[in-house]
């Protein structure tokens, strides 16, 4: 594609750019499939070490705020925790990032993130004001390649693997992830993580 771009006519340029975009989408899907298969086979080694969860949350939320702003949406964060526990920073950051990107993608205008600690459990609740998900799909949405709207995800470049990867990464930390529709509109994702001493 790169060589063709250097030697192409202006008329061919849009087609070559499309080829590059599709190659990038394919590359991302292959990477996601490999990540998911390693997590499912439990062959993905977690590099757990004592970390401050705020450093991971802070970076992920900062990136999400920037992305939300690019789409004309706002991200509001509430709550703060002051705790350290043993976790794989890259794996957990990736799981949270997938959920946040999903919320930003389908939000109408706003995403709310609430972080709190109760006893030995960390809660991260991410809610958007989008259309939500039909109740019958709330558990199926974690299945690899499952999409509520095939056309919508295809146009947005999604692979249908993000939430499946998040679920496996969170469960690898002995946590859980749960989806629920809000009474008015939007979807809430509740992530719970045990705080190991």
């Amino acid at each position: 594609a790169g060589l063709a771009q250097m030697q192409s006519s202006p008329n061919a340029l849009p087609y070559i750019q499309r080829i590059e975009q599709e190659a990038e989408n394919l590359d991302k899907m292959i990477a996601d499939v490999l990540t998911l298969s390693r997590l499912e086979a439990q062959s993905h080694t977690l590099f757990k070490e004592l970390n401050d969860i705020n450093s991971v949350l802070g970076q992920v939320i900062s990136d999400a705020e920037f992305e939300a702003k690019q789409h004309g949406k706002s991200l509001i964060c509430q709550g703060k925790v002051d705790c350290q526990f043993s976790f794989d920073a890259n794996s957990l950051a990736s799981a949270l990032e997938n959920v946040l990107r999903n919320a930003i993608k389908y939000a109408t205008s706003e995403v709310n993130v609430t972080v709190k600690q109760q006893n030995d459990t960390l809660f991260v609740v991410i809610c958007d004001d989008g259309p939500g998900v039909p109740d019958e799909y709330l558990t199926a949405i974690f299945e690899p390649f499952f999409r509520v709207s095939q056309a919508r995800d295809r146009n947005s470049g999604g692979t249908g693997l993000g939430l499946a990867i998040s679920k496996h990464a969170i469960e690898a930390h002995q946590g859980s992830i749960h989806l629920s529709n809000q009474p008015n509109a939007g979807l809430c994702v509740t992530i719970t993580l045990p705080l190991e001493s």
Side-chain angles (χ1 to χ4, degrees), residues 110 112 126-130 132-133 180-189:
E110 188 175 288
N112 283 278
I126 299 165
C127 299
D128 64 62
D129 62 350
V133 173
S180 60
N181 283 305
Q182 298 189 80
N184 299 327
L187 185 71
C188 274
V189 181

Side-chain angles (χ1 to χ4, degrees), residues 45 129 140 148 173 183 187:
T45 305
D129 62 350
V148 175
H173 286 84
L187 185 71

